[in-house]
Amino acid sequence: MIFTVAIDGPAAAGKGTIARAVAAEFGFAHLDTGLLYRAVGAKGGDPVAAAKLTPEDLARGDLRSLAAGEAASRVAAIPEVRAALTRFQQDFARQEGGAVLDGRDIGTVICPEAEVKLFVTASAQVRAHRRWLEVGGDEAEVLAQVIERDRRDSERGVAPMVAAPDALLLDTSELSIPQAIEMAVEAIRQRIGQGRA
Ligand code: C5P
């Protein structure tokens, strides 16, 4: 079965948590596409050359840091970097057995034919608070970084972060993690049911 779940949205909205839960529930393969951009940014040097990723690049221990997130959002605005990472993501999305990918442009650019598209969001304050609980430091500074990264990701010329017109919007500001997961799982069950009808 070819079945793709595209989960897009800003940093710390809960995409990764929902994507992992969906993958476990349905036995789908999962790709956190942010890690690809983080790996390119963390390598440094010429970003286009750095976009030829190796398994070692993806195994670095520092990819989850705030600095790697910042570097990722800079290299992610370069069209040649995005182009170099596209084919891998598209093949992953359409593999046999089902796949869930989380990122910024999965439902709009990488896999517009995805069977289910979710746009997971939350207020900047809520997302900054979640990030701050993970990384510590000055919460106001984390909020400023979240806002700046949202701006860069949504205003870039190539593959900006935007909800696909046919995406289901999930605002997790006021939802618990189990509630958000349940809504995502239900949307996927319904779509799988339609395919069988
Ligand atoms: O999701 P994560 O915080 O790991 O993403 C890091 C950065 O990588 C994002 O801020 C964004 O600029 C970029 N990104 C992207 N397209 C994706 C995934 C991530 O541009 N599909």
Side-chain angles (χ1 to χ4, degrees), residues 18 25 176-189:
I18 295 172
E25 174 75 24
S176 68
I177 290 170
Q179 283 173 325
I181 291 172
E182 188 44 40
M183 288 175 78
V185 165
E186 195 43 45
I188 296 162
R189 274 207 196 105

Side-chain angles (χ1 to χ4, degrees), residues 8 11 15 32-35 37-38 64 69 72-74 76 82 89 102-106 131 149 153 156 159:
D8 292 305
K15 299 185 301 289
D32 169 1
T33 65
L35 268 191
Y37 293 93
R38 285 170 179 265
R64 302 271 173 207
S73 95
R74 288 176 199 283
R82 304 200 72 84
Q89 296 176 77
D102 65 279
R104 302 290 185 291
D105 64 339
I106 309 304
R131 254 303 124 83
R149 187 127 76 89
D153 287 349
R156 68 183 174 216

Side-chain angles (χ1 to χ4, degrees), residues 23-161:
E25 174 75 24
F26 295 96
F28 294 165
H30 170 225
L31 180 64
D32 169 1
T33 65
L35 268 191
L36 305 176
Y37 293 93
R38 285 170 179 265
V40 174
K43 265 167 97 172
D46 171 25
V48 179
K52 289 187 186 65
L53 289 173
T54 64
E56 293 77 54
D57 294 334
L58 292 168
R60 291 173 64 125
D62 58 352
L63 295 182
R64 302 271 173 207
S65 69
L66 276 182
E70 277 297 301
S73 95
R74 288 176 199 283
V75 299
I78 303 170
E80 291 83 359
V81 169
R82 304 200 72 84
L85 300 175
T86 298
R87 181 66 195 271
F88 173 73
Q89 296 176 77
Q90 288 177 334
D91 289 347
F92 191 97
R94 299 317 261 171
Q95 68 183 284
E96 190 54 48
V100 48
L101 291 83
D102 65 279
R104 302 290 185 291
D105 64 339
I106 309 304
T108 49
V109 175
I110 297 297
C111 192
E113 70 274 35
E115 279 72 17
V116 174
K117 299 180 189 178
L118 305 175
F119 194 83
V120 181
T121 184
S123 72
Q125 283 73 14
V126 166
R127 290 184 289 116
H129 187 68
R130 289 177 187 161
R131 254 303 124 83
W132 173 75
L133 289 174
E134 287 170 14
V135 299
D138 177 358
E139 189 169 352
E141 203 174 298
V142 176
L143 174 61
Q145 284 179 348
V146 160
I147 291 171
E148 173 56 19
R149 187 127 76 89
D150 286 355
R151 191 197 59 71
R152 208 182 293 135
D153 287 349
S154 356
E155 291 181 4
R156 68 183 174 216
V158 55
M161 174 176 70

